[in-house]
Amino acid sequence: SVHTRDQVELPPPAIDNRLTVHPLWPEIDRISTEQIQAAFEGVGGEIGWQLFAEEGDMRMYRREMEVDGMVTDPLKAMHKVRGVTAREMCHYFFNPRYRYEWETTLETMTIVEEISSDALVFHQTFKRIWPASQRDALFWSHVRQSTDNTYAVTNHSTTNVEYPANTSACIRLFVTVCLACRSSWPAGAAPTRDNITTSIAYCSTVNPGGWAPAGVLRAVYKREYPKFLKRFTNYVVEQCRDKPIAI
Ligand code: 18C
């Protein structure tokens, strides 16, 4: 059958063999498994998530948290998007080819290592926020199918001797992000753009890595996370509109 470039590069349904022999594999597997499980846990219960943004089906929660006087508030967002699949969502989040089109905080992005079709290492620099120093991040990114109709991308900070932290103009920040998506459609029907719904759980914890004024940081957080999730999900809906559905 004829595949478009996009279809060939969709996240594979099974883990790529090249990833399982890489030195980072045990860490990537453990953290991805933990993050995906936590992403689907509710926001009720004793941990005390507080709702800070709500728009349509999107809900964003945070927990106030400080580590060594630095704000590291964990974020958890839930959303529902119609007309796209979990696999498509994760494809656009993982694949660097699309990143500048939806990621507005980015200044530069470099692929440091191509581990496999489902794992990459990135170096990214972010736009500077006055009066803080510019930030950069070095992280692995892994996309996988977890259960039926469920795909997830996990990003987690790592190190590389060729990309040392805190040397030039940038302070290294630390990030753990998980975008977990699950698709559903009416029982007995075939999935189509008209009947499919994808539930999204996006979790993020960013440690700013060095001094940053708490007030500025929480204001950036409040503005940028809703902007990101709306923009990214709209972007994927637009990209998929006239393409065959990829389950
Ligand atoms: O998950 C997202 N993107 C992925 C692909 O890029 C990847 C990225 C993770 C890095 C997230 C950290 C971003 C820090 C950005 C700082 C500069 C913002 C400039 C904005 C001005 C226009 O997983 C989507 C990520 C959506 C990011 C939302 C912003 C989160 C802010 C968190 C606090 C940042 C602390 C450092 C800055 C200190 C300055 C006061």
Side-chain angles (χ1 to χ4, degrees):
S1 67
V2 180
H3 292 281
T4 66
R5 223 156 54 123
D6 267 0
Q7 282 171 321
V8 175
E9 291 178 8
L10 279 163
I15 307 280
D16 189 322
N17 291 330
R18 282 175 294 167
L19 174 55
T20 60
V21 296
H22 191 276
L24 277 172
W25 166 245
E27 178 187 299
I28 291 178
D29 188 39
R30 175 177 56 82
I31 292 176
S32 299
T33 305
E34 283 168 12
Q35 287 294 314
I36 295 166
Q37 189 186 337
F40 286 118
E41 279 164 13
V43 286
E46 68 289 1
I47 317 180
W49 289 98
Q50 38 174 294
L51 184 70
F52 75 92
E54 190 170 12
E55 206 179 309
D57 289 316
M58 185 180 83
R59 312 244 181 298
M60 290 203 163
Y61 304 83
R62 62 168 190 171
R63 274 188 291 138
E64 286 198 4
M65 197 155 159
E66 286 179 25
V67 175
D68 301 329
M70 277 182 296
V71 173
T72 58
D73 298 356
L75 167 112
K76 181 153 186 161
M78 311 289 206
H79 199 4
K80 274 192 170 58
V81 181
R82 273 158 267 276
V84 296
T85 70
R87 193 175 182 206
E88 289 165 337
M89 273 289 169
C90 289
H91 168 64
Y92 287 100
F93 190 72
F94 174 75
N95 196 311
R97 193 185 332 145
Y98 312 107
R99 192 153 306 159
Y100 283 107
E101 293 175 25
W102 58 263
E103 177 64 280
T104 60
T105 67
L106 218 53
E107 194 153 282
T108 65
M109 175 191 68
T110 309
I111 300 169
V112 169
E113 190 181 351
E114 284 192 64
I115 298 177
S116 51
S117 61
D118 50 4
L120 298 167
V121 177
F122 292 100
H123 179 256
Q124 293 188 172
T125 62
F126 303 97
K127 290 176 183 161
R128 182 171 173 253
I129 307 168
W130 186 88
S133 305
Q134 192 182 13
R135 261 50 179 186
D136 69 353
L138 183 77
F139 60 91
W140 53 255
S141 183
H142 169 50
V143 62
R144 65 164 57 169
Q145 180 169 42
S146 77
T147 55
D148 272 358
N149 311 315
T150 304
Y151 279 84
V153 179
T154 306
N155 296 340
H156 182 75
S157 284
T158 186
T159 56
N160 182 305
V161 285
E162 281 162 46
Y163 293 82
N166 310 324
T167 52
S168 57
C170 280
I171 294 182
R172 180 68 45 89
L173 63 73
F174 302 94
V175 64
T176 304
V177 160
C178 183
L179 177 83
C181 305
R182 181 169 290 159
S183 299
S184 60
W185 56 90
T192 68
R193 296 248 177 256
D194 295 325
N195 69 10
I196 202 154
T197 300
T198 294
S199 300
I200 298 176
Y202 173 83
C203 298
S204 171
T205 302
V206 178
N207 182 320
W211 180 83
V216 175
L217 214 145
R218 288 201 166 108
V220 170
Y221 191 105
K222 223 171 170 165
R223 185 186 69 216
E224 295 298 325
Y225 279 120
K227 184 174 154 193
F228 147 67
L229 199 59
K230 282 188 280 178
R231 186 180 163 91
F232 173 69
T233 53
N234 288 337
Y235 173 77
V236 177
V237 170
E238 279 309 309
Q239 292 297 306
C240 291
R241 201 179 288 287
D242 298 315
K243 295 197 174 85
I245 194 165
I247 296 294

